[in-house]
Amino acid sequence: MSDTSMLVEESTAAAPAPEPSTPAAHRRGVLASILRGHPRMLALVLPLAVVSEAAEMALPILLGMVIDRGIVAGDLAVTLIGAAVIIGVRLVGMLLWIYTFVESQKACMYQRHRLRVGLTGAVLDPRSQRIRRPAGEVLSIATSDADKASDVLDMLPWVVPSGLVILGATVWMALQDVWLGAAMGIGIVVMVLVVRVITPSLSRRYDAQQSEAAEAAATATDLVHGLRVLQGLGVQTRARALYRRRSRVALEAALVNARYSGISSGLTTLVTGAMLAAVVLIATIRGLQGELGIGALIAVVGVARQVMGSLQGLSNMPVWWASMSTSARRVRDLFSDLGRGVDDPALTLDALSIARDDRGDGVGAAQQRRGGAGGLHLPGYDLSVPDGAFVAVACSDVRDGDAIVDAVSGRIDAGARVGDVPITPAERAGLRSDLLVEPHVVDLFDGTLREQLATRVPDGTATDGSDDAWADAALRAAGAEDMLRILPEGYDSRILDRGSNLSGGQRQRIALARAVAADTPVMVLQDPTTAVDAVTEQHIAEALVAARRRTDRATLVVTRSPALLRAAGHVVHLQGGRIVAEGRHLDLMEHDDYREMVQR
């Protein structure tokens, strides 16, 4: 896709499906939504994680008690019982850690999947608003940012327990000696201040880094998409230079972000190191003064060491929080731009997992074929395409053609109907079984030629290669029979993402064949033959009209192609948003405006 790419018409939305969320829900926070979706994490996993962390922190304390009251006191029973307790606490802590780790990872993976699927569903849903974001940026948000935002579920089970246990250890230190508690408390306060100061700056720089990375990805996507064109124009060197510049900017943004992350880690490590040194020094002095026993001294040093380890882990929290919060905001903004929300009921995994097009009832391909839908009607243009008709619309201004495509796509409510069913943004998903709109700019997806053509074929069609008669007919209607000779493995040949291993004309003909194979009652095409030569265009026009000339099929083509206009049963000349002439192509050629438009 280019920077001005629209929503993809080929969506996975179902009919019936839940309605999109209300505008008030579009700005709901993604992180809050993630936490609301995992109450078990808050109610069970977090408390158990606190117990697991507390068990680890209790080990040096228990060890100090065993040394003082068992080994130093010469009490074998206390020593043995204490050793057994230490082993038991260690075992319980380890088992709880394993359980909480597994549960948090499952929740994190599930949430990543939910956000990725939800964003993809929103982008492909015809009820979503049109966006003009680069495809690379959308892909980056739906993958990288969705994953990073979900990491909050990975962070909570150790950040919250670590924070609580550190506070508990500070209280225990204060009970041992007020100066030990003071040293711990001062270190924690300084740590919080450092985190508070650094986090906003990191968030801004991380946002800049992600934006630059998305720009580089978008540039790479567009260059790959237009590789053949660039080679034909001989501007590969300039294209490479453009990508290098974008990539260099993204690299510099990443380096700046890494530099600030390093400063953050260095400052927090300095704070924790100074705190540990102060605690060890105070404890040693108290031990030499006889105020702390050998066991208590070991316990204090062990607890301080545990606290330092936890604080060093928490020292990366500004970086992680900046990453998660920035990614969550980018995900939220994309949902909002699409007119959807992260908690949209139509984008839940349950709703999307059962999404399907209604292809009709019955068994077998013949029974699954949809009957006539009552034609296509555009009252705003005083234009109707009844069942059995093949109508071409020639627009003097390309904006009129775009407006017609927007109206029949349901992107705007212009009073268009399929039969008696209005085509509106809300109803568009429910009409997918009866209406197919193929815009001028289309995409092919990674997969075999057979898989490309089978995207929307009626249920019951044999798409396993046992009978390719339906595919043969579709290629013939699109003037693409030669693809079976050009591609080395025929229908099993691999088509790369966006058809990057095909020419522009080949991509266009396969996209047209895919539309024909869908065999929808109403089909709208926009400039389907602009990338082919005149001879091929004439062949396509004749074959396409023959394929769609059925009593229960209505076809509208927005085009200036003389071949398609000549083959159409009826031609409408649109100028300034209104019909200025209509009839057969040869008759309309007597009008100067029409003739000049076609011959231009």
CSV table of all heavy atoms in Angstrom, one decimal, residues 361-369 458-461:
chain,number,residue,atom,x,y,z
A,361,ASP,N,-27.7,-21.4,2.2
A,361,ASP,CA,-27.9,-22.7,2.8
A,361,ASP,C,-27.8,-23.8,1.8
A,361,ASP,O,-27.9,-23.6,0.6
A,361,ASP,CB,-29.3,-22.8,3.6
A,361,ASP,CG,-29.4,-21.7,4.6
A,361,ASP,OD1,-28.3,-21.5,5.3
A,361,ASP,OD2,-30.5,-21.1,4.8
A,362,GLY,N,-27.7,-25.0,2.3
A,362,GLY,CA,-27.7,-26.2,1.5
A,362,GLY,C,-26.3,-26.8,1.4
A,362,GLY,O,-25.4,-26.3,1.9
A,363,VAL,N,-26.2,-27.9,0.6
A,363,VAL,CA,-24.9,-28.6,0.5
A,363,VAL,C,-24.6,-28.6,-1.0
A,363,VAL,O,-25.4,-28.9,-1.9
A,363,VAL,CB,-25.0,-30.0,1.0
A,363,VAL,CG1,-23.7,-30.8,0.8
A,363,VAL,CG2,-25.5,-30.0,2.5
A,364,GLY,N,-23.3,-28.4,-1.3
A,364,GLY,CA,-22.8,-28.5,-2.7
A,364,GLY,C,-22.7,-27.1,-3.3
A,364,GLY,O,-23.4,-26.2,-2.9
A,365,ALA,N,-21.8,-27.0,-4.3
A,365,ALA,CA,-21.5,-25.7,-4.9
A,365,ALA,C,-22.7,-25.1,-5.5
A,365,ALA,O,-23.0,-23.9,-5.4
A,365,ALA,CB,-20.4,-25.8,-5.9
A,366,ALA,N,-23.5,-25.9,-6.2
A,366,ALA,CA,-24.6,-25.4,-7.0
A,366,ALA,C,-25.7,-24.8,-6.0
A,366,ALA,O,-26.3,-23.8,-6.3
A,366,ALA,CB,-25.3,-26.5,-7.8
A,367,GLN,N,-25.9,-25.5,-4.9
A,367,GLN,CA,-26.9,-25.0,-3.9
A,367,GLN,C,-26.3,-23.8,-3.1
A,367,GLN,O,-27.1,-23.0,-2.7
A,367,GLN,CB,-27.2,-26.1,-2.9
A,367,GLN,CG,-28.0,-27.2,-3.6
A,367,GLN,CD,-28.2,-28.4,-2.6
A,367,GLN,OE1,-27.3,-28.9,-2.1
A,367,GLN,NE2,-29.4,-28.7,-2.4
A,368,GLN,N,-25.0,-23.6,-3.0
A,368,GLN,CA,-24.5,-22.5,-2.3
A,368,GLN,C,-24.5,-21.2,-3.1
A,368,GLN,O,-24.3,-20.2,-2.5
A,368,GLN,CB,-23.0,-22.8,-1.8
A,368,GLN,CG,-22.9,-24.0,-0.8
A,368,GLN,CD,-23.5,-23.6,0.5
A,368,GLN,OE1,-23.6,-22.4,0.8
A,368,GLN,NE2,-23.9,-24.5,1.3
A,369,ARG,N,-24.6,-21.3,-4.4
A,369,ARG,CA,-24.6,-20.1,-5.2
A,369,ARG,C,-25.7,-19.1,-4.9
A,369,ARG,O,-26.8,-19.6,-4.7
A,369,ARG,CB,-24.6,-20.5,-6.7
A,369,ARG,CG,-24.5,-19.3,-7.6
A,369,ARG,CD,-24.5,-19.8,-9.1
A,369,ARG,NE,-24.3,-18.8,-10.0
A,369,ARG,CZ,-25.2,-18.0,-10.5
A,369,ARG,NH1,-26.5,-18.1,-10.1
A,369,ARG,NH2,-24.9,-17.0,-11.4
A,458,PRO,N,-17.8,-19.2,-3.4
A,458,PRO,CA,-19.0,-19.7,-2.7
A,458,PRO,C,-18.6,-21.0,-1.9
A,458,PRO,O,-17.8,-21.8,-2.4
A,458,PRO,CB,-20.0,-20.0,-3.7
A,458,PRO,CG,-19.7,-19.0,-4.9
A,458,PRO,CD,-18.2,-19.0,-4.8
A,459,ASP,N,-19.2,-21.2,-0.8
A,459,ASP,CA,-19.0,-22.4,0.0
A,459,ASP,C,-19.4,-23.6,-0.9
A,459,ASP,O,-20.3,-23.6,-1.7
A,459,ASP,CB,-19.9,-22.5,1.2
A,459,ASP,CG,-19.4,-21.4,2.3
A,459,ASP,OD1,-18.3,-21.0,2.1
A,459,ASP,OD2,-20.2,-21.1,3.2
A,460,GLY,N,-18.6,-24.7,-0.7
A,460,GLY,CA,-18.8,-25.9,-1.5
A,460,GLY,C,-17.9,-26.0,-2.7
A,460,GLY,O,-17.9,-27.0,-3.4
A,461,THR,N,-17.3,-24.9,-3.1
A,461,THR,CA,-16.4,-24.9,-4.2
A,461,THR,C,-15.1,-25.8,-3.9
A,461,THR,O,-14.6,-25.6,-2.8
A,461,THR,CB,-16.0,-23.5,-4.7
A,461,THR,OG1,-17.1,-22.7,-4.9
A,461,THR,CG2,-15.1,-23.5,-5.9
